[in-house]
Amino acid sequence: MTEKRMNTLDKKIIQLNQKILHYRSEVVKQDRLLTDQRKRIHDQDAVIEELTLRLEELANDPAVSEAISSPKVEDPPSLGENDIQVDSFFTYAIMAPFETNEEEPFVIKGHMIIENRGASPLVNPVICLSFNKPELANLSGRIERSKNNLQHYSVSREGVTDTWKFVEEQADKHAKQTGQFWLSPPIDEIPPRSSITFSDFEVVIPAVKKNTSLSLQITGFVYGADLTEGKASLNTIALTVS
């Protein structure tokens, strides 16, 4: 074998060794990234579980309505014993990505509590979730849609299932046009001095692109046979990214 051919072979061997080292370093790098990602997912799952438990505690706490202060709404004037006195409010948490990027979404998880404080039942109650940006209107979470009726929205927790029904046909399509989800609860009326909860809903906001801003606001409304003009929730869900 000539010296020239030996030099060429040596160069090829060196190049191959360099490639092997490069690929090995890439494998180590990807393993490290995978480990970090698994840890982040584990940490996020722990945060979600903790927040879910906290939200359930808040939803069952009668005193939480007095703590709602965003925005501050004055108490309505005193009404007669037979008048409808209904309030609603949100308890919610926002799960934000560790870093704002174009891959990870924001997740809003919450409850909407509807309270009938009056002496008369609220007959045929209906709620509306109104998004200021229709393109971001969506509902997800622990939801089961009936195979026979896609208008049924079921939330299961601790063996109890509350089935809410979309009022509008093709609710998702309607919400993308109007920014509104209309739902009715599994009961025909809310008795006096009692409450119901639209529980464990989730709103997933797609990843925000770099150098862009986002301002989302969700307002709740309650309607009924004797509340035809509706009443806005005491607070709103707000998410601002800039």
Side-chain angles (χ1 to χ4, degrees):
M1 184 179 295
T2 65
E3 182 177 352
K4 182 177 181 180
R5 291 185 61 187
M6 289 183 65
N7 290 336
T8 301
L9 182 60
D10 288 342
K11 288 181 179 179
K12 288 184 177 180
I13 291 174
I14 292 173
Q15 290 174 348
L16 288 173
N17 285 330
Q18 289 175 338
K19 287 183 177 180
I20 290 173
L21 289 174
H22 171 71
Y23 291 143
R24 283 178 177 173
S25 65
E26 282 297 313
V27 169
V28 172
K29 178 182 177 181
Q30 295 301 322
D31 283 343
R32 187 184 304 113
L33 291 174
L34 180 59
T35 300
D36 291 343
Q37 188 66 19
R38 285 174 175 170
K39 184 178 183 302
R40 292 175 64 184
I41 293 174
H42 175 76
D43 292 342
Q44 287 183 331
D45 286 342
V47 171
I48 291 173
E49 182 178 358
E50 181 180 351
L51 290 173
T52 298
L53 293 174
R54 180 56 180 158
L55 284 172
E56 291 176 353
E57 292 175 358
L58 290 173
N60 296 321
D61 185 356
V64 73
S65 59
E66 299 179 4
I68 300 297
S69 58
S70 176
K72 180 65 176 179
V73 177
E74 294 182 0
D75 293 333
S78 299
L79 301 176
E81 271 297 293
N82 294 325
D83 289 332
I84 300 298
Q85 301 179 51
V86 175
D87 285 322
S88 65
F89 59 90
F90 293 106
T91 60
Y92 68 97
I94 298 176
M95 274 65 81
F98 284 90
E99 295 181 2
T100 301
N101 55 50
E102 299 183 16
E103 297 180 359
E104 297 187 54
F106 287 80
V107 178
I108 300 171
K109 187 176 182 65
H111 308 299
M112 180 178 177
I113 298 92
I114 303 97
E115 297 182 338
N116 181 3
R117 301 175 180 272
S120 301
L122 178 65
V123 180
N124 297 331
V126 174
I127 66 171
C128 173
L129 298 184
S130 179
F131 292 66
N132 68 324
K133 295 185 181 298
E135 67 273 16
L136 298 179
N138 71 81
L139 284 177
S140 59
R142 289 187 289 177
I143 299 174
E144 301 174 3
R145 294 181 186 263
S146 169
K147 294 181 180 179
N148 299 323
N149 188 343
L150 296 180
Q151 298 306 105
H152 279 185
Y153 170 116
S154 299
V155 180
S156 299
R157 65 186 191 286
E158 298 179 358
V160 178
T161 300
D162 297 332
T163 302
W164 289 68
K165 182 179 180 180
F166 287 114
V167 175
E168 299 285 343
E169 294 183 2
Q170 298 182 327
D172 293 327
K173 181 179 179 181
H174 180 267
K176 292 298 182 185
Q177 296 172 345
T178 65
Q180 299 174 349
F181 280 104
W182 293 79
L183 301 107
S184 59
I187 57 176
D188 295 328
E189 64 178 43
I190 304 176
R193 311 286 195 268
S194 66
S195 65
I196 62 172
T197 304
F198 181 51
S199 307
D200 298 307
F201 66 83
E202 286 186 5
V203 177
V204 179
I205 309 302
V208 179
K209 296 182 179 180
K210 292 182 179 179
N211 301 320
T212 60
S213 60
L214 169 69
S215 180
L216 173 66
Q217 181 171 302
I218 305 172
T219 306
F221 295 88
V222 181
Y223 295 80
D226 296 319
L227 195 62
T228 56
E229 294 185 0
K231 186 173 183 181
S233 54
L234 296 178
N235 68 329
T236 61
I237 295 175
L239 170 63
T240 301
V241 180
S242 58

